[in-house]
Amino acid sequence: GKVELACPAYAGLGVPAHPTWRGFSPRRDFPLLLVTPHARYRINSQFANEPWFAAREPQVLWVHPTDAAARGLAEARDAEIRSPDGTVRAPVHVTEAIMPGVVCLNAGAWPAIGQGAGAGGTAGAANWLTSTEPTTPSQGSRTHSVAVQVSLPAEA
């Protein structure tokens, strides 16, 4: 029945003893928040290479119409997604089902290495955009709160 609002052990990890909100702060060069939920028809990357599953849920980047218009992006056209850690390409899905300032790329796509857009290629593999530095204090992976910029590919 005890509720602890301050934790000396937590403070010993180099973070405040009291929980604090550490939210996303957009950067000028990477103003969008990338979220990477699990796909409906994949288990992480399992089944990503199966045409039956891929046809039911293509790997696309969800972009709000306001953000798409500001970047010249159009439905089903390729976009380049850049973060401080990498670059990939994926077709755009323009939808009001995502908030302005946020883009969504499902986790688990296999990279298409050597097929353009840097190491991540054209398959929209979100892991190429995330840092390998773990979060603090939990030492978890950084698959959310990734700052990105989305644009038309250079040759478009």
Side-chain angles (χ1 to χ4, degrees), residues 17-148:
H18 295 86
T20 58
W21 181 74
R22 295 177 289 157
F24 176 74
S25 297
R27 294 174 37 175
R28 186 169 185 213
D29 50 346
F30 300 103
L32 301 170
L33 169 63
L34 172 69
V35 295
T36 57
H38 287 277
R40 184 182 314 176
Y41 294 103
R42 290 196 301 258
I43 302 168
N44 297 319
S45 63
Q46 293 177 14
F47 307 122
N49 62 335
E50 292 292 330
W52 188 90
F53 292 105
R56 279 150 185 76
E57 188 173 23
Q59 183 70 352
V60 295
L61 179 74
W62 289 32
V63 182
H64 188 273
T66 303
D67 294 323
R71 292 164 174 78
L73 304 173
E75 181 72 23
R77 299 285 310 272
D78 276 355
E80 185 173 271
I81 306 116
R82 293 184 319 278
S83 78
D85 297 294
T87 303
V88 298
R89 287 193 190 168
V92 170
H93 174 54
V94 179
T95 176
E96 290 190 10
I98 192 155
M99 293 172 35
V102 178
V103 294
C104 175
L105 190 62
N106 284 342
W110 288 18
I113 298 171
Q115 297 179 19
T122 58
N127 283 358
W128 288 99
L129 301 169
T130 61
S131 172
T132 58
E133 180 183 335
T135 62
T136 55
S138 66
Q139 300 299 299
S141 67
R142 293 190 182 266
T143 55
H144 289 286
S145 301
V146 176
V148 297

